[in-house]
Amino acid sequence: MPSLLVVVFILQVLIHLVNTVGANAINELLWTLYNKLPTSTHDSVQESNRLRTEVLRLKREMNATSSQDEFAKWAKLRRQHDKAVAQYDEKANSLKSFRSSFTQATTALRWLGTNGLRFFLQFWFARHPMFWIPRGWVPGYVEFLMAFPRAPRGSVSIQIWGIACATVVQMVGAAVAAGLVLVKQRREGGTREKEKVGDHTVMVQISLGTLKTLLFTLGPFLLPKLIAYYRAYQAKARSRPVPVRSLPSYVFTALNILFVSCLFALISTLPTFAPENIFQVTSSRLQTPNDVLFNRLSFVRPEGRLTEADELLKPRIASLDARCLYLYYGPSIVTYCPFCLSDEPMSYFWYAIPMILFPHLLHLFALGAATSTAIGGKEGNRWRNSAAMIGVGLALSECYFTGASDWKANARVARAEDLNHFHWNMRIWRGIGIAVTDAALAAFIWASSTNRMFVVPPTAAERMETAMKVLEISRARLGALGIVRNVVVRDEGVRRKAESYWRNEVQIMGEIMDEREVVEGLQSALGSGRVQFPQVEEDARRFADGIIVGPTPVPNAVPL
């Protein structure tokens, strides 16, 4: 009996093949194979195929014969053609109902042999472990997920094994398909990726399905590592405890700068602040004639007249390539670039670089101000290098994607709603990236400045300096207390007031101690044993010795 692991894997391969080839192609193949056998429809199908070939032959001969110069021959062919078409339609109609039943039967059998068998195996072997995971290899909640829904804890259920097999088969299938396409393109002498000197065009497409596949494949292994790292970080922080403190006042300014930068970045993504897109305003296709496009545009302009910018733009987007560049770089680049030509698309890129980098330079200025020592203190300055690297990375990433993406992708789009407005989409992603960066940096500064996370313990020198400051403050307060005591003792009027206070204190406390309730409370405490006089005397003795006797000398200490 084959292993259940192998059966599930082969079943997932079959399901992937069926989904890749398609149900209609499989039904057509099965219908052809069925009629190759000596079945009840074999002769009818053969006759139908013969009639169809005859109809096509007569159709070609009719098209090759002139109905005016050779009318008799053409009329004869027409009668033969009509007769053959009638016979073919009659034969095809007689097979249509049987083929519909055949298609339904093959669809049902195909479903039972693939998904139906999969559901049955998952139900029948739901409590059967596919294999066991070594103890302690993954956290407990991952073991629960691996055994979901009813497999023993610590094992992998058939459902999870099926998902893993389907994921691997899908990834391998995508890799094989990409390899076959690449080999075919190389044999044909052309590829979809064009490499040019001065105009490098590369388009990297990552589908959402691929991202989901990678997430489900790597997630169970990466998530435990991240949780373990977080727990280790927490344990390290507890081993060197630093008290949580309130947010320092000077850090508020840094956080306000980041908040303003984040707010402006999000506002810049709104359609109100985006440049006008004439193809969206006029709902026009990229192939719309230039005169028609600007006639439509004039209807949405005040007083029905084109603006000066519209007049400058009109001759610049007359060609299809120029319109693709318009959607790729935006209206301002195409309208006002003095040296750009659609035959040299990289000229638009060089002209657009300052406009691309300008918002990133403003962002870097905000990051530098928020992480400077004068504004953010040492808490903000701690993240200065990381913030600068991320800001520069955002700028370089936008330049790379702008220069490496396929600017002619819209040339093959036929419908207006399918156009890729790259310039406007890039504005949105730029604003989101800057906002996320500012929010993350603000969270890191807040967490580190309040000692909630990313705590750096003070060095030995800093701890010594803090202890010395505390000792100096205590020494100054003790000196002030000695001066006050000296004044009280030496001044006769103040000394009499102090003596009067203590005489009154003794008298009042004596009266309180003579009250009945106090006496009963003392007797109750002494009788119940709640007050241990030997322990009280010992604590008093230690306290007195700590005041009178000096500190314990250090052994083997060198005298000064």
Side-chain angles (χ1 to χ4, degrees):
M1 181 178 179
S3 173
L4 187 58
L5 291 169
V6 179
V7 171
V8 173
F9 180 77
I10 294 175
L11 186 60
Q12 292 294 341
V13 173
L14 293 176
I15 293 174
H16 180 74
L17 291 176
V18 170
N19 294 333
T20 303
V21 175
N24 294 330
I26 294 176
N27 291 338
E28 188 68 27
L29 177 63
L30 293 177
W31 173 252
T32 303
L33 295 176
Y34 178 80
N35 291 306
K36 294 291 183 181
L37 302 175
T39 57
S40 59
T41 59
H42 175 75
D43 297 336
S44 299
V45 171
Q46 294 296 327
E47 181 65 18
S48 177
N49 293 336
R50 187 190 66 78
L51 290 173
R52 181 175 60 183
T53 304
E54 183 69 14
V55 168
L56 295 176
R57 184 185 65 79
L58 294 172
K59 184 68 174 179
R60 287 194 298 268
E61 291 182 3
M62 284 177 59
N63 294 333
T65 303
S66 175
S67 60
Q68 296 178 354
D69 299 337
E70 300 176 290
F71 178 76
K73 182 179 179 181
W74 182 85
K76 181 180 178 180
L77 291 174
R78 178 61 183 270
R79 288 192 299 270
Q80 292 177 355
H81 176 267
D82 293 344
K83 181 179 179 181
V85 169
Q87 292 176 353
Y88 174 74
D89 290 341
E90 181 181 0
K91 187 65 68 175
N93 291 331
S94 63
L95 291 173
K96 186 176 181 180
S97 60
F98 182 82
R99 182 167 183 176
S100 177
S101 302
F102 178 82
T103 301
Q104 292 178 359
T106 53
T107 302
L109 291 176
R110 186 181 65 252
W111 187 87
L112 290 175
T114 53
N115 289 313
L117 180 59
R118 177 169 64 90
F119 292 146
F120 172 76
L121 292 177
Q122 290 180 354
F123 172 76
W124 191 260
F125 295 99
R127 299 181 181 275
H128 182 77
M130 304 301 293
F131 57 89
W132 294 90
I133 302 175
R135 184 180 297 275
W137 191 50
V138 294
Y141 66 92
V142 178
E143 289 186 352
F144 172 78
L145 294 177
M146 291 292 187
F148 185 82
R150 293 186 295 173
R153 188 71 175 268
S155 66
V156 176
S157 65
I158 188 172
Q159 285 83 0
I160 301 301
W161 173 248
I163 294 174
C165 292
T167 302
V168 172
V169 169
Q170 183 179 1
M171 294 179 64
V172 173
V176 171
L180 293 176
V181 171
L182 183 61
V183 171
K184 182 179 178 181
Q185 289 177 342
R186 287 183 177 178
R187 288 180 179 177
E188 293 176 354
T191 62
R192 294 182 64 182
E193 296 181 357
K194 300 178 181 179
E195 299 183 6
K196 300 179 181 179
V197 177
D199 183 14
H200 180 65
T201 303
V202 178
M203 188 66 180
V204 180
Q205 296 181 351
I206 301 177
S207 63
L208 183 60
T210 304
L211 295 177
K212 290 182 179 179
T213 300
L214 292 175
L215 181 61
F216 281 109
T217 303
L218 302 178
F221 300 97
L222 294 180
L223 187 60
K225 298 293 184 181
L226 294 176
I227 295 177
Y229 173 77
Y230 177 72
R231 291 176 177 175
Y233 183 84
Q234 281 188 328
K236 183 179 179 180
R238 287 193 296 267
S239 63
R240 293 181 294 184
V242 178
V244 176
R245 62 174 182 176
S246 59
L247 187 67
S249 58
Y250 53 85
V251 179
F252 273 109
T253 306
L255 297 184
N256 289 333
I257 293 175
L258 294 175
F259 173 75
V260 172
S261 175
C262 178
L263 184 62
F264 275 103
L266 292 177
I267 291 176
S268 67
T269 62
L270 298 177
T272 307
F273 301 96
E276 184 184 50
N277 187 344
I278 62 174
F279 291 96
Q280 283 185 335
V281 171
T282 60
S283 300
S284 301
R285 300 183 301 113
L286 212 61
Q287 294 79 10
T288 302
N290 214 30
D291 294 335
V292 176
L293 176 63
F294 281 90
N295 284 336
R296 294 176 181 176
L297 184 61
S298 63
F299 289 124
V300 300
R301 291 289 186 251
E303 301 179 359
R305 299 176 58 183
L306 296 176
T307 62
E308 183 179 354
D310 296 335
E311 296 293 346
L312 291 174
L313 180 64
K314 185 176 181 179
R316 291 176 176 265
I317 59 171
S319 64
L320 181 62
D321 288 348
R323 295 186 177 189
C324 291
L325 292 168
Y326 174 87
L327 295 179
Y328 195 80
Y329 290 104
S332 61
I333 303 297
V334 178
T335 303
Y336 299 107
C337 180
F339 59 85
C340 298
L341 298 174
S342 59
D343 296 336
E344 298 178 0
M346 286 302 294
S347 60
Y348 289 92
F349 174 71
W350 299 123
Y351 185 78
I353 282 181
M355 297 185 183
I356 294 174
L357 295 179
F358 180 71
H360 293 286
L361 292 178
L362 294 179
H363 182 223
L364 284 172
F365 177 78
L367 294 178
T371 56
S372 63
T373 307
I375 296 178
K378 65 178 183 180
E379 289 83 0
N381 188 259
R382 175 184 173 188
W383 303 96
R384 190 176 183 84
N385 294 335
S386 300
M389 292 176 61
I390 294 174
V392 173
L394 288 176
L396 294 179
S397 298
E398 184 173 355
C399 291
Y400 169 77
F401 282 113
T402 303
S405 299
D406 185 10
W407 61 272
K408 295 188 67 174
N410 288 316
R412 298 179 293 273
V413 178
R415 298 189 304 173
E417 55 269 19
D418 295 335
L419 291 174
N420 178 22
H421 306 279
F422 181 85
H423 175 72
W424 288 265
N425 295 336
M426 187 59 70
R427 284 176 55 90
I428 296 175
W429 286 113
R430 178 200 305 152
I432 294 175
I434 292 176
V436 171
T437 301
D438 293 340
L441 179 61
F444 290 154
I445 293 177
W446 174 81
S448 60
S449 61
T450 56
N451 294 333
R452 284 178 169 83
M453 292 184 66
F454 313 109
V455 179
V456 177
T459 61
E462 292 176 344
R463 293 197 298 270
M464 180 64 70
E465 183 180 359
T466 303
M468 292 300 296
K469 289 181 179 179
V470 172
L471 290 176
E472 288 292 336
I473 293 173
S474 301
R475 177 178 173 278
R477 291 177 178 177
L478 290 175
L481 181 61
I483 293 173
V484 172
R485 180 62 180 170
N486 192 17
V487 170
V488 171
V489 173
R490 290 178 178 273
D491 188 87
E492 183 177 357
V494 177
R495 184 174 64 253
R496 289 177 180 177
K497 291 181 179 180
E499 292 175 353
S500 174
Y501 168 79
W502 286 113
R503 283 195 299 268
N504 294 333
E505 177 72 15
V506 172
Q507 182 180 357
I508 293 173
M509 290 301 300
E511 293 176 355
I512 293 174
M513 295 299 295
D514 292 337
E515 292 182 359
R516 181 176 179 181
E517 292 81 0
V518 177
V519 173
E520 292 178 353
L522 290 174
Q523 292 178 353
S524 175
L526 295 174
S528 60
R530 287 181 295 174
V531 178
Q532 301 291 335
F533 271 98
Q535 184 66 32
V536 173
E537 293 176 353
E538 180 65 21
D539 293 340
R541 185 186 64 80
R542 291 179 180 176
F543 181 77
D545 291 342
I547 296 175
I548 299 174
V549 181
T552 304
V554 179
N556 302 325
V558 179
L560 297 177

